[in-house]
Amino acid sequence: MLIPHDTRIALDTVVDLVNTAPESEPGDGLADTGALYAFAERHLISGVGVLGEKDLRAVQDVRSRFAEIFAAPDARTAADLVNGLVAAAGTTPQLTNHDGYDWHVHYFAPDASIADHLAADCGMALAFIVVAGEQERLRRCEAPDCRRAFVDLSRNRSRRYCSSRTCGNRLHVAAYRARRKEAAG
Ligand SMILES: [Zn+2]
Ligand SMILES: [Zn+2]
């Protein structure tokens, strides 16, 4: 599956956003405005201005909407959720080539709040995945003590674990065992 660069960046952002929720991490990774500023900085979300409690609550709300999309049992459910989220964010698609990046589309409105910015751009990235017929790639880690979200970009949709150190290791161990079994058999 060929994914445009900006879509990939938006996917990284939405995965990180969903994984700040208490159900993925112990404690809330977006518990205060300081954490929200750090998140915006980490994902190079420009022009967010001054962030307050209202922004924090709005982003937490958008985060739970995205979590629902990752939990969607089928493309129809995911599509309805993405449509609702993106419509509420009031998108204004604009071609741009700011800061040395090649031409790409910003979906958020020029004066969008950070919550609307995330809902529009990350929502459209997930829309792209649904359009590609790849909604099943939006996954939750299958490790028993881990529920982190991830996007499975492996060729054969075989990824089962998130990329955190512990779960990534499980994957390596499983692959190693499989190779040994193959070699032995
Ligand atoms: Zn941009
Ligand atoms: Zn995991």
Side-chain angles (χ1 to χ4, degrees):
M1 178 174 50
L2 190 68
I3 298 180
H5 178 71
D6 53 328
T7 302
R8 193 176 280 252
I9 289 172
L11 289 176
D12 285 346
T13 303
V14 69
V15 163
D16 189 29
L17 177 64
V18 170
N19 286 336
T20 62
E23 62 176 318
S24 298
E25 293 279 291
D28 192 328
L30 282 181
D32 51 42
T33 50
L36 187 55
Y37 274 115
F39 180 86
E41 200 170 305
R42 192 155 77 237
H43 293 288
L44 307 173
I45 300 166
S46 53
V48 293
V50 179
L51 301 173
E53 287 296 318
K54 201 175 148 220
D55 292 298
L56 183 63
R57 277 193 300 276
V59 170
Q60 287 168 344
D61 182 51
V62 162
R63 176 178 70 181
S64 40
R65 307 278 297 275
F66 278 124
E68 284 175 40
I69 297 169
F70 271 83
D74 51 52
R76 161 61 57 195
T77 312
D80 287 345
L81 291 166
V82 169
N83 281 344
L85 192 57
V86 170
T91 63
T92 310
Q94 291 284 306
L95 273 160
T96 172
N97 64 347
H98 65 97
D99 298 319
Y101 290 103
D102 216 340
W103 288 106
H104 60 286
V105 178
H106 281 178
Y107 293 98
F108 58 91
D111 56 350
S113 67
I114 184 170
D116 284 348
H117 181 137
L118 289 168
D121 270 36
C122 296
M124 288 309 296
L126 296 185
F128 178 86
I129 296 288
V130 175
V131 168
E134 306 283 4
Q135 173 264 333
E136 285 174 31
R137 289 183 185 269
L138 308 177
R139 303 242 173 100
R140 289 274 184 181
C141 182
E142 288 180 25
D145 49 354
C146 179
R147 294 284 299 140
R148 290 173 67 83
F150 67 92
V151 180
D152 177 8
L153 296 178
S154 67
R155 193 179 287 266
N156 54 359
R157 305 187 200 188
S158 59
R159 195 169 145 199
R160 295 170 54 208
Y161 303 110
C162 76
S163 56
S164 83
R165 199 185 301 165
T166 33
C167 301
N169 261 338
R170 284 178 224 259
L171 190 63
H172 291 141
V173 169
Y176 174 73
R177 288 208 182 112
R179 276 200 304 274
R180 274 183 45 132
K181 206 171 159 194
E182 217 165 81

